[in-house]
Amino acid sequence: MEAPILVSVVEDTLKAGFRLTRHHHKKMTEVFYVLDGEVGFVFDDRTVEATSGMTVNVAPGVHHEVASPDGGKLITIFIPGGFDLYLAEVAELVAHGRDDEATLITLGQRYDIWPDD
C-alpha cells in the first residue's frame, strides 16, 4: 500500500503591497485559489492577474513571483504537505528577532523554497 500524499492548506490574507520575490520549488506543487482581490503571478513566459474565483497552479521547477498591490485573500494548497511547519518556524524566528535574510533562506531551502538570484 502506498503512503498517502499529504497536503498543507493555508488561508492567507495579503496586505496591500504584498510581494513574494522570484523563487522556485524543486519538488513542491502549489495551487492558489483567489478568494478576494487581485493577485499577480509572474512567470518566465507570462503574467497572470488572478481575481476572485480563479485558480493558478505552479508545478515544481517553475520560477515565479507573486504580488498583490491592493491586497487580497487566497487559499494555497502545498503538495506535498509540510509548509505549515515552515510557517510555524518563521513565526518563531520573527518572534525572537532572528529573521535575518540568511537564516530565512536556509530555512526556506529545508522546505523546498529556492530563491532566484
Side-chain angles (χ1 to χ4, degrees), residues 45-111:
D45 59 346
R46 67 186 169 131
T47 298
V48 174
E49 295 297 334
T51 57
S52 182
M54 293 178 70
T55 301
V56 176
N57 299 317
V58 181
V62 175
H63 298 254
H64 59 287
E65 63 183 81
V66 184
S68 184
D70 298 324
K73 189 171 191 175
L74 49 83
I75 291 177
T76 307
I77 301 169
F78 301 91
I79 308 161
F83 196 76
D84 52 319
L85 302 174
Y86 165 77
L87 294 174
E89 286 195 50
V90 168
E92 185 71 19
L93 289 172
V94 170
H96 292 93
R98 297 188 318 240
D99 57 331
D100 61 275
E101 184 177 0
T103 300
L104 292 175
I105 288 172
T106 300
L107 177 64
Q109 290 174 345
R110 282 195 4 236
Y111 288 94

Side-chain angles (χ1 to χ4, degrees), residues 25-37:
H25 311 282
K26 295 180 180 180
K27 298 178 182 177
M28 184 172 20
T29 296
E30 295 175 296
V31 179
F32 298 93
Y33 178 74
V34 180
L35 295 169
D36 188 40

